[in-house]
Amino acid sequence: MYRWEITRAALAQRVFAIVRTESYDQAAATADTLISGGISSLEISLNTPFALEVVTTLTREVGDDALIGAGTVLDAQTARMAIDAGARFLVSPGLDEEVIRTGHRYGIPVFPGVTGPSEMMRALELGADALNVFPASAHDPRWLRDVRAELPQAPLLPSGGVSVESAPEWIAAGAAACGLGSALSEGDRTAVAKRAADLLARLADAAPGPDAE
C-alpha cells in the first residue's frame, strides 16, 4: 500500500491500541487479545523487551487482518530497525526529522510527537502523515478544538492519558484517532472484546459529520 493508504487504514477505527508490557510473551498475548476483540491497528512500543520480535511475529501472523506499527521510535536507526522488522507505521513521542525521513524513504507513514501548534506546523512542513499529540493528559478536548480551528488540516492523534471514557470527547473535538494503552487492553478476552465494541461504536457516533465546522 501507499503511505496514504496505510495511514488511512491505521486510523480508520479512530483508535489505535498501544501495547507496552514487561515481556515478549505479555506483549504477544495482549496484542492477540486486542486483535481478537476487533482492534485493527496496534502500536508495539519499542521499550517493550524484544519489541521488534513482537512486531515481526505479529505482522507475519495477522496478515491483512490488522496493521502492526512501532511506537517510541526515537531516532533514524531505530526507525530503520522497526521497518525491517515489518512495522507498517511509526509513532514517536517527539519530533525528529530523521525519523520522518527514514520512514518516508521506505514508504512507511510516521506520526511524530507534538505538544503545541509550533511543533505541529513544523511536523507538517516535514511531511508528517499524522501528529501524535503527546501527552494528551497535559490538555483537554477543548484545547484540541481550539487548535483545530487554526490548523484544520492537521490530523491529530492524542495519546498518553486518553481513557475509554474521554476518547469520544477527543474525537468529537476533531481528533483523527486516539491512542489507548492499558485502558483498552486490561482484562480477559471477553472484557476486551466488549470494551472494544462499545468504544468503536461510541467513536463512530462522536465523529463530526461532513458538514461540521
Side-chain angles (χ1 to χ4, degrees), residues 70-129:
T72 321
V73 179
L74 304 181
D75 51 44
Q77 180 180 5
T78 307
R80 176 60 191 272
M81 292 170 64
I83 293 167
D84 288 345
R88 305 296 301 279
F89 60 91
L90 305 178
V91 185
S92 177
L95 178 57
D96 185 288
E97 181 175 356
E98 291 304 313
V99 171
I100 298 174
R101 184 173 297 168
T102 300
H104 290 180
R105 184 177 296 126
Y106 299 100
I108 299 299
V110 181
F111 311 150
V114 295
T115 58
S118 294
E119 286 188 341
M120 292 175 189
M121 292 168 61
R122 177 60 176 156
L124 291 173
E125 290 169 359
L126 294 173
D129 301 276

Side-chain angles (χ1 to χ4, degrees), residues 23 25 132:
S23 72
D25 289 341
N132 177 29

Side-chain angles (χ1 to χ4, degrees), residues 11-80:
L11 308 180
Q13 291 185 320
R14 300 184 178 86
V15 63
F16 57 96
I18 301 168
V19 178
R20 180 182 293 108
T21 65
E22 297 180 356
S23 72
Y24 171 96
D25 289 341
Q26 288 179 340
T30 298
D32 181 63
T33 298
L34 287 163
I35 294 169
S36 297
I39 300 298
S40 64
S41 183
L42 284 77
E43 166 198 330
I44 309 301
S45 176
L46 295 189
N47 55 17
T48 293
F50 302 102
L52 293 176
E53 287 83 350
V54 177
V55 171
T56 298
T57 299
L58 289 173
T59 300
R60 181 179 64 247
E61 292 181 349
V62 304
D64 295 330
D65 292 338
L67 282 176
I68 307 300
T72 321
V73 179
L74 304 181
D75 51 44
Q77 180 180 5
T78 307
R80 176 60 191 272

Side-chain angles (χ1 to χ4, degrees), residues 141-165:
R142 291 174 298 176
W143 172 85
L144 187 136
R145 190 183 299 276
D146 290 341
V147 170
R148 286 273 299 161
E150 294 292 328
L151 297 173
Q153 75 276 27
L156 304 179
L157 315 175
S159 70
V162 178
S163 66
V164 171
E165 292 72 25

